[in-house]
Amino acid sequence: MATGQEVKQEVALEGVVTGSVDLERAAKLAQAALVEPTPDLKRASTGQESETTDDEDWESESLYEDALDGAVGHVEVDKLGHPYEACTLEEAIAYRKRLRLVGDDQFIIETIEAKTITAKKLCTAFNIRPPAFLDGAPDVAYYRLLGLGITRELQKRVKLPQYNTIDDAVSLLKTSKNIIVLTGAGISTSLGIPDFRSKNTGFYSQLEHLGYTDPQEVFDIENFREDPSKFYSVAKDILPSTNRYSPTHAFIRLLQEKDKLLTNFTQNIDNLEGHAGIRPEKLIQCHGSFATASCLECKYKVKCEEIYKEIKAGQVARCGRCIRRLQPDKASGMKRKRSANGKSHSRQRRKGDHEDSTDEDDYDIAAAGVMKPDITFFGESLPSGFHERLCDHDRFMVDLVIVIGTSLKVAPVSEVVGFLPSHVPQMFISRDPCLHVDFDIEMLGDCDVVVAELCRRAGWELKHDMIPPAQQIDVELCEGYVSRFTFKAKVA
């Protein structure tokens, strides 16, 4: 049994309600729950994460990441299949408005201290799904998660009330001159390229089916250095198989042609923006791309096409320059054997030892560096151009933000919308809503369908062979919302 002081410290630790809710009040509420936390709760409450810095990580590795998907409804089911009560949409809206009206301190007094609602249920008002590792824990265990939700809500950009309709969206497109377009995998899925996070169909989901307990391990830079074969065994599934680009790519190029595109910040690694004609000075590939590959040892850079053969075969690609440099004197008969992680040891080649193997299969390329496609892995910094362009240039010029085809879960790109000036209107186009950002206008559906309809209404000609002639789109306002719409192509 933990002491009251230990519980007080646990509740007050990093992320509980830092910068938002009164820590002393939160700690006082914890006095009644003197329960020894489970190992998972200890790890969560002490904030024990990896030692990499925020600048090095472009993904939040928090234990609570899955909880941020949101849960608003009457009764939800957690990952273990256990039902729990969640706030209705109307309740969630009311709680959020009340928080902004009275402030965090009074809000906690009226809710948690007054025991009008549990912290677990109140979390759902802020689009936080109670995580499985807290199942069965006392309500105090949800204080950190609730504090995260409250802090995030108060830091949110507030929706601009003057922008609500599709006509407003079209007007913004026509009048804006410096548009930031922030894109994700959803703009390429119509080409058969899977996104990463969609349940059942996303690339991470496919890796889970292959037995990976944490699919993101495949894209961890330290894991790649230790054993690149894990990445190369699946890389062919995300390798762009076509130079075709989607109607959404064509839409971004159209903005460029109309001299309206300030910058396209893309999280995609398929390099299709370049194929679509987006000029390099207008494009920031936040997570790198498959356009080039570099040797981890000598930094030699090549076009990625040069290692496509190895990628498609699921084999680790080695640096050609290193191989030439390390080619041993064949007369000596000495060759090095490489291990999985690229390290090598020497051995005498004996007569009869794998006579049928090729010279460059297991030998001769002993210390040759591994070629890594120039995509940004977990644990690597984003390209310097991302921060320079955003912080030193675009934030002072942007007059419209359009987010397309992304769930905005990957930091720091996910923080862009909150970093830009709050008076600049923001529009969202994707299949599913983004619950942790209050966009001014949300347009849900196939990205290609949405941009085609916007162009039609704007009187712009969007040319692409994937847009059916005389295509008709049904646009409907979502129930309970004033600025969220669904777009569906009519079936002929």
Side-chain angles (χ1 to χ4, degrees):
M1 183 77 66
T3 67
Q5 181 62 28
E6 287 171 339
V7 174
K8 178 184 288 189
Q9 291 173 347
E10 179 176 345
V11 175
L13 280 170
E14 175 190 354
V16 182
V17 276
T18 304
S20 177
V21 182
D22 184 349
L23 293 177
E24 292 186 2
R25 172 167 285 107
K28 184 171 65 176
L29 291 171
Q31 296 289 344
L34 304 180
V35 179
E36 180 69 19
T38 65
D40 278 343
L41 292 181
K42 286 181 178 177
R43 186 166 70 253
S45 64
T46 55
Q48 293 176 356
E49 309 289 351
S50 64
E51 295 181 356
T52 53
T53 65
D54 289 342
D55 288 339
E56 292 171 336
D57 281 334
W58 52 265
E59 169 82 19
S60 171
E61 308 262 21
S62 168
L63 286 170
Y64 296 125
E65 181 181 355
D66 288 340
L68 302 183
D69 287 337
V72 176
H74 293 287
V75 178
E76 295 283 340
V77 176
D78 63 24
K79 286 189 172 182
L80 299 179
H82 300 152
Y84 63 88
E85 189 178 8
C87 291
T88 65
L89 177 61
E90 293 76 15
E91 289 173 332
I93 293 173
Y95 278 124
R96 291 178 207 167
K97 288 183 177 179
R98 186 63 182 171
L99 171 63
R100 291 185 178 275
L101 179 65
V102 302
D104 46 30
D105 195 59
Q106 181 63 27
F107 182 76
I108 289 295
I109 293 175
E110 295 178 359
T111 54
I112 302 302
E113 284 197 11
K115 298 183 178 180
T116 59
I117 187 173
T118 64
K120 181 178 182 179
K121 181 176 179 180
L122 191 54
C123 282
T124 68
F126 302 104
N127 292 319
I128 295 179
R129 185 184 304 277
F133 70 82
L134 289 181
D135 186 47
D139 201 53
V140 67
Y142 292 88
Y143 287 176
R144 180 184 185 223
L145 197 54
L146 176 59
L148 176 64
I150 289 175
T151 300
R152 190 174 64 173
E153 179 68 24
L154 291 174
Q155 292 175 343
K156 269 186 183 180
R157 166 190 177 274
V158 178
K159 178 189 174 336
L160 301 177
Q162 65 267 39
Y163 304 113
N164 297 290
T165 68
I166 302 302
D167 286 343
D168 292 335
V170 171
S171 176
L172 286 169
L173 278 177
K174 296 174 72 172
T175 58
S176 299
K177 298 180 180 179
N178 290 291
I179 302 175
I180 285 180
V181 181
L182 197 162
T183 52
I187 73 169
S188 298
T189 53
S190 61
L191 302 170
I193 301 174
D195 64 12
F196 279 77
R197 297 178 178 276
S198 291
K199 294 180 180 178
N200 302 321
T201 60
F203 183 66
Y204 285 163
S205 178
Q206 295 175 29
L207 291 182
E208 287 178 346
H209 294 156
L210 293 176
Y212 290 99
T213 55
D214 184 358
Q216 294 180 9
E217 291 178 359
V218 175
F219 298 96
D220 182 272
I221 187 59
E222 294 304 322
N223 289 343
F224 183 87
R225 291 189 177 114
E226 172 110 4
D227 182 8
S229 65
K230 181 178 291 187
F231 168 79
Y232 272 98
S233 69
V234 299
K236 61 181 179 295
D237 295 323
I238 57 172
L239 183 70
S241 59
T242 177
N243 291 340
R244 291 192 69 199
Y245 53 88
S246 71
T248 305
H249 290 99
F251 168 72
I252 301 169
R253 186 187 62 192
L254 182 61
L255 294 178
Q256 176 181 268
E257 292 172 352
K258 292 183 174 294
D259 202 24
K260 291 176 173 289
L261 181 65
L262 180 60
T263 306
N264 177 195
F265 290 92
T266 179
Q267 300 171 89
N268 298 337
I269 58 178
D270 51 34
N271 200 39
L272 295 184
E273 294 83 7
H275 294 303
I278 308 303
R279 297 196 299 270
E281 65 270 21
K282 295 288 186 180
L283 179 64
I284 297 293
Q285 294 174 312
C286 305
H287 298 157
S289 78
F290 270 104
T292 58
S294 301
C295 173
L296 291 183
E297 295 295 328
C298 72
K299 312 306 178 186
Y300 182 56
K301 187 185 291 287
V302 300
K303 290 184 177 180
C304 208
E305 287 91 336
E306 295 187 25
I307 64 170
Y308 273 10
K309 180 179 178 181
E310 288 86 353
I311 293 177
K312 291 177 179 179
Q315 299 174 350
V316 176
R318 298 279 172 167
C319 175
R321 187 169 74 172
C322 285
I323 292 174
R324 293 188 293 272
R325 178 171 56 85
L326 296 170
Q327 192 79 15
D329 183 359
K330 293 184 181 294
S332 70
M334 293 292 295
K335 297 183 184 291
R336 296 189 182 96
K337 174 81 171 178
R338 74 169 184 266
S339 61
N341 62 6
K343 296 181 180 179
S344 62
H345 58 271
S346 298
R347 57 169 269 182
Q348 179 72 38
R349 180 91 180 263
R350 298 192 302 272
K351 184 177 180 180
D353 275 359
H354 305 288
E355 293 289 354
D356 59 341
S357 65
T358 61
D359 284 344
E360 291 187 357
D361 196 10
D362 285 326
Y363 297 95
D364 288 339
I365 58 174
V370 173
M371 296 300 292
K372 172 186 167 294
D374 290 329
I375 59 178
T376 307
F377 276 51
F378 295 110
E380 291 188 300
S381 299
L382 266 65
S384 59
F386 167 79
H387 298 94
E388 293 171 0
R389 179 80 177 200
L390 179 66
C391 301
D392 301 336
H393 182 266
D394 286 9
R395 66 180 299 195
F396 303 109
M397 298 184 64
V398 61
D399 57 8
L400 175 63
V401 179
I402 309 176
V403 178
I404 314 178
T406 173
S407 59
L408 288 181
K409 289 186 178 180
V410 178
V413 177
S414 60
E415 307 304 318
V416 169
V417 294
F419 174 77
L420 295 171
S422 59
H423 68 273
V424 175
Q426 298 185 0
M427 304 193 305
F428 180 74
I429 301 171
S430 195
R431 183 184 60 189
D432 300 310
C434 180
L435 299 175
H436 59 279
V437 180
D438 284 335
F439 289 100
D440 300 314
I441 305 172
E442 299 173 90
M443 291 164 279
L444 308 182
D446 183 289
C447 298
D448 296 341
V449 169
V450 176
V451 299
E453 178 64 11
L454 290 177
C455 287
R456 186 191 69 79
R457 295 190 183 206
W460 297 350
E461 185 178 8
L462 181 61
K463 297 180 180 179
H464 198 284
D465 59 11
M466 290 174 62
I467 301 176
Q471 176 178 250
Q472 294 186 341
I473 310 297
D474 279 328
V475 180
E476 295 185 1
L477 179 66
C478 294
E479 184 178 356
Y481 294 89
V482 297
S483 58
R484 178 181 291 179
F485 301 83
T486 58
F487 286 62
K488 292 182 180 179
K490 291 183 178 179
V491 179

